[in-house]
Amino acid sequence: MKIALMDSGIGLLAATAAVRRLRPDADLVLSLDPEGMPWGPRTPEDLTARAVAVAEAAAARRPDALIVGCNTATVHALPALRARLEPDIPVIGTVPAIKPAAAGGGPVAIWATPATTGSPYQRNLIRDFADGVPVAEVPCWGLAEAVEHADETAIDSAVAAAAALTPEDVTTVVLGCTHYELVAERIRAAVQRPGRPPLVLHGSAGAVAAQALRRVGAGLHAQSETLGTVTVLLSGREGTLPAPALAYAEGRLLQEVSPAR
């Protein structure tokens, strides 16, 4: 079995690690776009063109499924990707986990990129899935970029700024960008209020990984003891994991089979 994942940068690591933990025997294809990164500031048309090129590079490796490990790419490019690749290759997008977060009763905060915060896309998700639970939208200026470069000082600054914008009574935080899952515990520490119940965080990586395996009819347990391979594509060319990936446990999980450059 082979699962491909795509993103402009290392935000796909969270879903990659989730697939690896569920099915360590699966071969993985990681398709990144360092030449076009970041995708967030691009126009929807430009972003879609970049995403389609990255997806086609992954599709050339004949995966059984493709995970779009990026919220922004899912918003703008998922219809084009599905039109191009399905039904031969199922395409699984990444959507903020608003519904399970709201099930806990809230209040909920959604940490997302400034471009996504307040967008019709996110507002529609809140309308459809928050079920009346109070939801605060928190723009996280510079956090995805800081995580991408493993810039410790910038990460701390961006997390602190977003935490300051998060209402005091929030019980649950939705991590609305795949990069944020790589620093989830820092976010928890920054938002947790003294004397209040433990903060609940909701990412998308685990659900996305499980959905990809369901789409290909695969079980959630390894079928052999052999560790699957990892192939890294950088703007379509085979390479190695970007060095900042090793700052995170999710990247180190893959290091044995794909050394960082």
Side-chain angles (χ1 to χ4, degrees):
M1 181 177 61
K2 184 182 293 184
I3 303 293
L5 301 97
M6 59 169 282
D7 190 4
S8 63
I10 63 173
L12 54 63
L13 285 179
T16 303
V19 174
R20 176 60 99 201
R21 293 185 182 108
L22 289 171
R23 287 297 301 265
D25 58 328
D27 294 331
L28 302 173
V29 177
L30 280 57
S31 190
L32 289 70
D33 187 27
E35 293 179 4
M37 184 179 63
W39 284 348
R42 293 180 177 274
T43 66
E45 295 77 16
D46 189 20
L47 187 156
T48 296
R50 302 292 312 190
V52 167
V54 168
E56 288 183 335
R61 302 300 175 113
R62 304 178 64 83
D64 297 293
L66 172 68
I67 292 172
V68 184
C70 173
N71 296 87
T72 302
T74 298
V75 171
H76 295 295
L78 189 61
L81 294 173
R82 285 180 166 161
R84 187 68 60 95
L85 299 179
E86 291 188 341
D88 293 338
I89 301 174
V91 180
I92 296 89
T94 299
V95 177
I98 295 172
K99 186 174 183 178
V108 173
I110 304 174
W111 282 35
T113 62
T116 300
T117 300
S119 66
Y121 164 77
Q122 184 159 288
R123 292 280 168 86
N124 288 338
L125 289 176
I126 293 170
R127 182 198 65 211
D128 294 342
F129 298 116
D131 198 26
V133 169
V135 175
E137 297 180 88
V138 178
C140 301
W141 296 94
L143 181 53
E145 294 81 1
V147 172
E148 178 68 33
H149 297 100
D151 184 331
E152 299 292 328
T153 301
I155 291 170
D156 288 342
S157 177
V159 167
L165 298 175
T166 302
E168 291 279 338
D169 61 347
V170 157
T171 62
T172 305
V173 172
V174 174
L175 304 177
C177 170
T178 54
H179 280 80
Y180 302 170
E181 297 192 49
L182 301 177
V183 292
E185 291 311 310
R186 295 199 202 190
I187 293 171
R188 185 192 305 278
V191 179
Q192 179 67 56
R193 312 303 186 191
R196 295 189 63 84
L199 185 75
V200 178
L201 298 183
H202 281 275
S204 302
V208 167
Q211 175 66 3
L213 295 175
R214 281 193 292 269
R215 288 288 302 274
V216 301
L220 300 184
H221 302 285
Q223 303 301 307
S224 76
E225 296 182 1
T226 302
L227 193 64
T229 62
V230 176
T231 300
V232 178
L233 303 175
L234 304 175
S235 299
R237 297 179 295 277
E238 191 162 339
T240 54
L241 282 174
L246 296 190
Y248 307 104
E250 293 85 348
R252 294 191 293 272
L253 184 65
L254 307 173
Q255 186 180 14
E256 290 181 15
V257 283
S258 180
R261 55 181 168 84

